[in-house]
Amino acid sequence: MTPWWQSGAIYQIYPRSFLDTNGDGVGDLAGIVNRLDYLEWLGVDGIWLNPVMPSPNADWGYDVSDYCDVHRELGDLDILDQLVTEAGRRGIRILLDIVPNHTSDQHDWFHDSRSSRSAEHRDWYVWADGRGDDPPNNWRSVFGGPTWTFDEETGQWYMHNFLPEQPDLNWWNPGVRDAFDDILRFWFDRGIAGFRIDVAHGLVHDRELRDEPPDPEHPDRLQPIYSMNRPEVHDVYRRWRKICEQYEPACVLVGETHVLDPVVMASYYGQGDELQLAFNFAFVYAPFDAASLRDVVERTEAAIPEGGWPVWTLSNHDVIRFPTRWCDGDEAKARCALLALLLLRGTPFLYYGDELGLEQQNVPEEAQRDMAGRDGARTPMRWSNEPGLGFTEPGVEPWLPFGSGPNVAAERGEPGSSLSLCRGLLALRREHADLRRGPYASLQSPEDVWAWSRGDRYAAAVNLGEGEAVVEGLAGTILIGTSRDRDGEQVRAGLRLGAREGALLELS
Ligand code: NOJ
Ligand code: CA
């Protein structure tokens, strides 16, 4: 039987920005419950929530201080249970974000770890002596500066691939592995259908703490082959997969496999015994032109092992929203991107607002909250054009500014909108098995066009160029087009596409 996450589409929610039900300007879990009808109407099968666990928010939830509770600003365990139940009633499953690479420096484990060299949890984190007054090695943190912070109290350095407030766990320690087994079970037993794994490639560090070599392509940078990307991380996922398989249906693991080579990304599927899904950043970062997209999709298809299943995403909470990054605000191009996302073989992840074609927002300096400049992708969902935008009560200051752009109420009733297009594409995936499971194959097409088939009966194409183009040899009926007035059109001698236009064809 096809697992639900293979046939379904998943919607990513940044909980602080979805819907605020108690007028504090911060979205909450009750708000997500409140909007389940919308998500059911849209036609998604699962939701991934960015971190909901208690956190001092040095990195907005990615610094967890308790892995078995809910951040009070977002709700509590009861409301999360209610979300699981209410979503389940609508055939929607809930995935959480788990952050196993590091904890918050406010986690009890770290408090204990830094209390003395002989503390019970000392070895749960990565402590090392310096080289004289310098850190133990040359590793650099993703957010800048050394990967090491000196702790006066105990006279050693601790490692953090991200902020000093995010000390890395020591995955060589069996206690850490056991603790996470329990954390997974805690959530799976509550009905959580799976996890998106933060920094999935990063958990294990080199035991000998060897210096990173320079990156041959960027001599001013280092190649992170020892601080992360270690082969031993695969043992962790084989172990987690076994836990997932103890549930019915099996719980699903989606890795934030932030590696740019599709072959390395594909290694996280293991022999069908590691992650079921791995995010594909080569696609996210590809230039938005026909040749580059075709190339990365072909390389991904070739790399993923038999039985593995691709993942496609346009945006997330860390990158610039795709209508800005890929399309320079051009709505027609953004619709081509949505059409491609939902017609590839694999599990599509829509980031909240993607379905509206929401652009990256400009957040003025005084309103910025994130230390890494990612606020523009995390602003409140735009539900309507009423005061408060349907996100919060009128007059309430939202935690990040509203910005500007489309809104759900306006797009919902508009057949030509991005929202209607997404809903239409999601409905077609449900209707036609080959749009879910059919194999992908690239088709011959003019230079600016990317065309592909799904099984024997369907073909899709997007023309990303500025002139009209014809994909020769295609005949059939347009099931859906980015220009919706072409839905139902009979195509006889080749599919003609206008500039920045895409379509799905049922072949005759
Ligand atoms: C990846 C997350 O998506 C990002 O938001 C976070 O800052 C880092 N991991 C560190 O946890
Ligand atoms: Ca709230």
Side-chain angles (χ1 to χ4, degrees), residues 59 62 102 143 162 166 196 198-199 256 317-318 374 378:
D59 184 11
Y62 287 100
H102 46 266
F143 291 138
F162 295 88
Q166 294 169 297
R196 175 268 191 187
D198 189 58
V199 205
E256 190 214 5
H317 61 291
D318 290 329
R374 297 165 293 188
R378 302 174 176 183

Side-chain angles (χ1 to χ4, degrees), residues 36-100:
L36 285 171
D37 287 344
Y38 166 74
L39 297 171
E40 185 184 18
W41 170 86
L42 180 60
V44 299
D45 304 85
I47 302 172
W48 151 35
L49 303 179
N50 281 105
V52 298
M53 297 162 191
S55 162
N57 284 340
D59 184 11
W60 299 105
Y62 287 100
D63 47 323
V64 174
S65 52
D66 180 352
Y67 287 91
C68 295
D69 202 353
V70 167
H71 195 299
R72 282 296 161 266
E73 250 180 322
L74 304 178
D76 55 25
L77 284 170
D78 287 343
I79 183 80
L80 187 61
D81 290 345
Q82 198 188 323
L83 175 61
V84 170
T85 308
E86 288 297 322
R89 256 190 216 140
R90 293 161 175 86
I92 297 175
R93 292 176 158 93
I94 305 291
L95 310 185
L96 296 185
D97 213 315
I98 193 161
V99 189

Side-chain angles (χ1 to χ4, degrees), residues 275-324:
L275 308 182
Q276 292 100 327
L277 295 171
F279 277 116
N280 184 356
F281 285 90
F283 181 73
V284 175
Y285 297 139
F288 191 60
D289 62 65
S292 303
L293 295 172
R294 184 191 305 113
D295 176 61
V296 69
V297 169
E298 286 176 357
R299 286 190 294 125
T300 304
E301 284 279 354
I304 290 184
E306 182 84 27
W309 192 248
V311 180
W312 308 105
T313 357
L314 305 178
S315 306
N316 66 38
H317 61 291
D318 290 329
V319 300
I320 295 177
R321 283 180 176 274
F322 82 92
T324 308

Side-chain angles (χ1 to χ4, degrees), residues 80-332:
L80 187 61
D81 290 345
Q82 198 188 323
L83 175 61
V84 170
T85 308
E86 288 297 322
R89 256 190 216 140
R90 293 161 175 86
I92 297 175
R93 292 176 158 93
I94 305 291
L95 310 185
L96 296 185
D97 213 315
I98 193 161
V99 189
N101 179 69
H102 46 266
T103 70
S104 160
D105 64 345
Q106 301 305 313
H107 196 292
D108 284 346
W109 298 337
F110 192 66
H111 283 147
D112 181 53
S113 185
R114 78 187 312 175
S115 67
S116 90
R117 288 197 188 199
S118 58
E120 186 192 339
H121 296 91
R122 181 67 171 183
D123 186 53
W124 282 38
Y125 294 83
V126 187
W127 292 95
D129 294 328
R131 293 196 281 212
D133 286 344
D134 294 330
N137 62 24
N138 71 349
W139 296 355
R140 309 289 298 170
S141 129
V142 172
F143 291 138
T147 290
W148 300 95
T149 289
F150 187 67
D151 180 61
E152 296 283 346
E153 201 80 15
T154 57
Q156 282 191 308
W157 299 74
Y158 70 86
M159 180 201 156
H160 48 86
N161 267 316
F162 295 88
L163 296 176
E165 291 88 345
Q166 294 169 297
D168 269 49
L169 283 162
N170 175 15
W171 276 88
W172 291 102
N173 183 300
V176 169
R177 295 188 182 217
D178 291 345
F180 273 85
D181 289 355
D182 292 345
I183 292 165
L184 295 187
R185 289 200 186 93
F186 172 84
W187 291 107
F188 293 160
D189 288 346
R190 297 190 96 91
I192 292 298
F195 282 108
R196 175 268 191 187
I197 306 165
D198 189 58
V199 205
H201 54 298
L203 273 49
V204 180
H205 68 282
D206 179 41
R207 239 178 169 172
E208 294 168 40
L209 306 181
R210 281 171 282 189
D211 273 344
E212 313 268 39
D215 184 336
E217 280 170 35
H218 308 274
D220 53 326
R221 292 191 215 153
L222 298 171
Q223 239 183 331
I225 58 168
Y226 292 125
S227 57
M228 37 176 81
N229 297 308
R230 301 306 300 156
E232 297 87 356
V233 73
H234 295 278
D235 297 337
V236 176
Y237 298 132
R238 282 190 280 271
R239 175 172 172 144
W240 285 18
R241 179 65 175 267
K242 286 197 189 113
I243 296 176
C244 289
E245 301 288 346
Q246 287 161 5
Y247 292 80
E248 179 52 45
C251 295
V252 57
L253 300 173
V254 192
E256 190 214 5
T257 39
H258 202 282
V259 290
L260 297 184
D261 178 346
V263 173
V264 180
M265 180 273 291
S267 70
Y268 286 88
Y269 292 86
Q271 309 295 319
D273 56 355
E274 297 187 35
L275 308 182
Q276 292 100 327
L277 295 171
F279 277 116
N280 184 356
F281 285 90
F283 181 73
V284 175
Y285 297 139
F288 191 60
D289 62 65
S292 303
L293 295 172
R294 184 191 305 113
D295 176 61
V296 69
V297 169
E298 286 176 357
R299 286 190 294 125
T300 304
E301 284 279 354
I304 290 184
E306 182 84 27
W309 192 248
V311 180
W312 308 105
T313 357
L314 305 178
S315 306
N316 66 38
H317 61 291
D318 290 329
V319 300
I320 295 177
R321 283 180 176 274
F322 82 92
T324 308
R325 174 171 35 88
W326 264 358
C327 312
D328 276 333
D330 181 303
E331 284 176 34

